[in-house]
Amino acid sequence: MNTTLARNLQVLTPKDPSLARLIAHTSPHPGLTLAHTPHGETIPALTTPTGIRTLHSRIDPDREAQRLIKAQRPKGFCIVLGLGAGYHLKILLHTPEVHHILVLEHDPSFLAALLSLVDLSDILSHPRIHLLLDPSPDLLSRTISRLFIPSLDHTYTIIPLRSRTLLAPTAFDHLLTTTRTILDTLSSDHATQTRFGTTWMRNTLLNLPHLMRNTTIPPLPPRLAITGAGPSLIHTIPLLRNHPVLASDTSLPVLLHHDITPFLVTSIDCQPYTLLHYAGLPSTRYPVLLDLAAPPPLVRTLPAPLLAAGPHPLHQYLAAHLPLPHIPSHTGNVAATLTLFALSHGAREILLAGTDFAYPHLLPYPPGTFLWPYLLSRTTHTSPLLSGLLSLTLPRIHGDHTPPTSPLLSHYRTTLLAHLEKAGGTVVEYRPGTFHISAPETPPETIPSRPPTLEDLSRTMTTYRNSLEDLPPLASRLQFDTLPDEARALWATLLPLLASTQRRTLSAPLEEASRQTLTTALRLLDHLSLTTLT
């Protein structure tokens, strides 16, 4: 191992030991060498069948890098395709508007050669630089989710080093596509936070006393059915009679109308219209699994609620201090949430029904769900029920014979299938909207054997409130990154509330918005949580 590679690996090892080990045991690409500019700068050069390809300008790589970064006008979080000799990264590190920088590279032998030729230790050791080599979609998603905080970074920039990406266009195109998908998902999630951040926190705090009523459910059977609320649900009623059923809230009225009592019902939405799914139904004879941010009026009326910690950072904080079950509601879709919940609690064969992720026969939901009586109440002689239904689906027609769909429904389908693939599940489409899922046996998660006590809740929330009182407002992303671990974890619980605050105060600087966020959180805790727990 030469001294240049040793220096690079010395600074890379603390940040990514597995990558450092891989590079240390990889033979460098024999075609990569060093060339020099007239002013003595070193630039990597690759010998190809069409000639020598350099990764930077042969004349003035510094000026070339400055022009590249100036043209991109980077702000917030940056993703860079191609490491090169780091000229462009040095400019980015001196750009005040740029926060964290994620560098994506391809081919271990190429990276090993690069790190053997160019001393990049100053760049690789910088705390704002992060390097990934041919990352899996899961690793890339986890890394970007950790580095990109929309409430603090506001935006992102993708910068390809063209001279590098053109050497392996297929690999870098794949990385770029995956990166854009992940960033689009995070941006969509942030948009949801801006809309519901305050509601999530308010609902969560109002629901805290009801944690003491958390019911228990028996172990899930290994073979069961899960119902979404797609139009095809009606056609699977005979099949459902032979299975224990886990039902989405929207499908519940349809099941009860056909004398099918579910084993478990689930609601994950924080919006008040969720109550419409239960309106007019007979007294519940089944437990209802709820995200902790469910509408408090619904939680109060249920005789057997099972409130669970969702993906909200505040929920994760509470789950670390209280005996709470977990609900995988990060998909945003109830049927997908139930499927992941069932697989993690012992189910091995699942009949997934009513999951069309489309509008077959131009119907959004089957008859009997909440939408039909609502539209019936608005019908007139000139605007019948059919007009109301078609107004939701006709704009989705796209000109072929497949049922119309929407980007959101397509996202739900793609996300569910990706999670099932990750879990090792086998998915077979039995008929449109109906799937058979088989999964390998894994140790099931356990639901806490007891609900939190009043003492548990009072102690946890008092500690949380006192800790928030000591938090400083945030003036920058850098300040957030340099906070002590405990303070950073506490601020993480407030990021959705911060997003909601920023939506209401568009022109306010971060420090003012974060100060208002702290004030709102403390007020909510004082008036909603502690008063109901004492």
Side-chain angles (χ1 to χ4, degrees):
M1 181 185 299
N2 65 33
T3 55
T4 301
L5 179 60
R7 280 195 299 271
N8 286 325
L9 294 184
Q10 184 179 7
V11 299
L12 184 60
T13 298
K15 300 177 77 171
D16 193 337
S18 60
L19 177 57
R21 285 194 300 269
L22 173 63
I23 297 303
H25 293 89
T26 298
S27 300
H29 193 297
L32 194 66
T33 58
L34 281 184
H36 294 84
T37 69
H39 302 289
E41 295 104 331
T42 57
I43 53 173
L46 181 68
T47 302
T48 70
T50 59
I52 297 177
R53 308 277 291 273
T54 61
L55 297 187
H56 301 282
S57 167
R58 296 172 180 265
I59 306 299
D60 194 341
D62 284 314
R63 184 182 178 190
E64 177 193 50
Q66 291 172 0
R67 292 169 63 182
L68 170 65
I69 302 307
K70 184 178 180 180
Q72 295 288 341
R73 298 181 179 178
K75 292 182 179 180
F77 174 55
C78 280
I79 303 96
V80 178
L81 304 178
L83 176 62
Y87 293 102
H88 53 315
L89 299 178
K90 292 176 183 177
I91 304 298
L92 282 175
L93 286 173
H94 286 89
T95 304
E97 297 84 4
V98 172
H99 303 157
H100 286 276
I101 303 164
L102 176 61
V103 182
L104 303 180
E105 255 300 344
H106 164 66
D107 186 358
S109 66
F110 189 95
L111 183 57
L114 197 60
L115 297 183
S116 298
L117 295 170
V118 184
D119 186 354
L120 296 169
S121 56
D122 287 345
I123 293 175
L124 295 176
S125 62
H126 199 285
R128 288 163 53 207
I129 291 286
H130 312 268
L131 175 64
L132 290 180
L133 173 67
D134 291 326
S136 66
D138 180 62
L139 175 59
L140 186 57
S141 177
R142 285 188 283 112
T143 303
I144 293 178
S145 299
R146 175 173 57 87
L147 298 177
F148 179 43
I149 303 177
S151 296
L152 303 180
D153 295 314
H154 301 299
T155 188
Y156 62 84
T157 309
I158 300 176
I159 302 176
L161 182 63
R162 295 292 183 189
S163 54
R164 173 66 185 106
T165 59
L166 290 176
L167 295 175
T170 302
F172 279 103
D173 283 348
H174 176 70
L175 282 174
L176 180 60
T177 300
T178 306
T179 298
R180 289 192 184 279
T181 301
I182 294 167
L183 289 168
D184 287 346
T185 301
L186 290 176
S187 298
S188 175
D189 180 64
H190 179 251
T192 304
Q193 293 181 29
T194 64
R195 184 176 179 185
F196 296 115
T198 303
T199 303
W200 286 338
M201 189 165 194
R202 183 177 63 243
N203 287 1
T204 297
L205 296 177
L206 281 172
N207 287 333
L208 287 179
H210 298 281
L211 286 173
M212 296 182 288
R213 296 197 297 123
N214 256 7
T215 189
T216 58
I217 60 174
L220 297 188
R223 181 174 176 267
L224 51 80
I226 291 174
T227 56
S232 65
L233 176 63
I234 294 295
H235 305 298
T236 60
I237 294 297
L239 289 173
L240 297 176
R241 298 189 188 280
N242 301 320
H243 295 76
V245 175
L246 276 60
S248 65
D249 49 7
T250 313
S251 68
L252 178 60
V254 179
L255 298 178
L256 295 181
H257 178 75
H258 290 86
D259 298 321
I260 297 176
T261 301
F263 180 86
L264 179 72
V265 181
T266 296
S267 289
I268 65 172
D269 205 307
C270 70
Q271 300 179 82
Y273 78 79
T274 303
L275 278 74
L276 296 176
H277 302 316
Y278 300 86
L281 298 182
S283 178
T284 56
R285 305 181 299 277
Y286 36 78
V288 180
L289 176 66
L290 300 145
D291 187 284
L292 189 50
L298 172 63
V299 177
R300 288 196 298 268
T301 60
L302 293 173
L306 178 57
L307 289 159
H312 191 293
L314 177 57
H315 294 188
Q316 299 304 304
Y317 173 90
L318 294 173
H321 296 84
L322 297 168
L324 292 180
H326 170 69
I327 181 171
S329 54
H330 56 280
T331 63
N333 176 261
V334 188
T337 297
L338 270 173
T339 302
L340 299 179
F341 179 84
L343 290 176
S344 64
H345 287 79
R348 294 295 159 257
E349 293 186 24
I350 298 174
L351 173 67
L352 187 57
T355 48
D356 300 276
F357 300 113
Y359 304 117
H361 310 295
L362 298 182
L363 294 178
Y365 292 102
T369 53
F370 78 103
L371 186 63
W372 287 71
Y374 169 75
L375 292 177
L376 277 171
S377 70
R378 298 172 62 88
T379 57
T380 65
H381 290 297
T382 58
S383 180
L385 171 64
L386 185 61
S387 296
L389 292 170
L390 293 181
S391 68
L392 299 173
T393 56
L394 278 178
R396 307 295 184 181
I397 293 178
H398 40 66
D400 58 29
H401 298 294
T402 59
T405 185
S406 69
L408 182 61
L409 292 179
S410 299
H411 169 70
Y412 286 156
R413 179 187 177 101
T414 302
T415 302
L416 175 59
L417 294 177
H419 279 290
L420 291 174
E421 181 181 3
K422 183 179 176 182
T426 301
V427 183
V428 177
E429 190 165 10
Y430 175 71
R431 61 172 66 151
T434 306
F435 301 85
H436 282 296
I437 299 171
S438 300
E441 187 171 352
T442 55
E445 292 182 17
T446 57
I447 293 177
S449 58
R450 68 167 183 88
T453 64
L454 178 60
E455 182 182 356
D456 293 334
L457 292 170
S458 297
R459 181 179 62 251
T460 299
M461 298 315 297
T462 300
T463 302
Y464 180 64
R465 192 221 178 276
N466 292 341
S467 299
L468 290 189
E469 201 164 33
D470 296 332
L471 277 184
L474 294 176
S476 67
R477 172 63 195 267
L478 177 61
Q479 181 190 357
F480 176 83
D481 291 335
T482 55
L483 287 173
D485 290 346
E486 182 180 357
R488 194 163 58 251
L490 286 167
W491 252 117
T493 69
L494 300 177
L495 290 178
L497 183 60
L498 174 61
S500 182
T501 302
Q502 289 172 324
R503 184 191 185 197
R504 298 193 305 270
T505 57
L506 293 177
S507 59
L510 176 60
E511 186 170 7
E512 176 58 29
S514 64
R515 184 178 286 108
Q516 290 188 32
T517 299
L518 285 170
T519 302
T520 301
L522 291 171
R523 188 173 65 248
L524 287 172
L525 282 162
D526 287 339
H527 292 284
L528 301 179
S529 175
L530 297 181
T531 55
T532 57
L533 291 176
T534 55

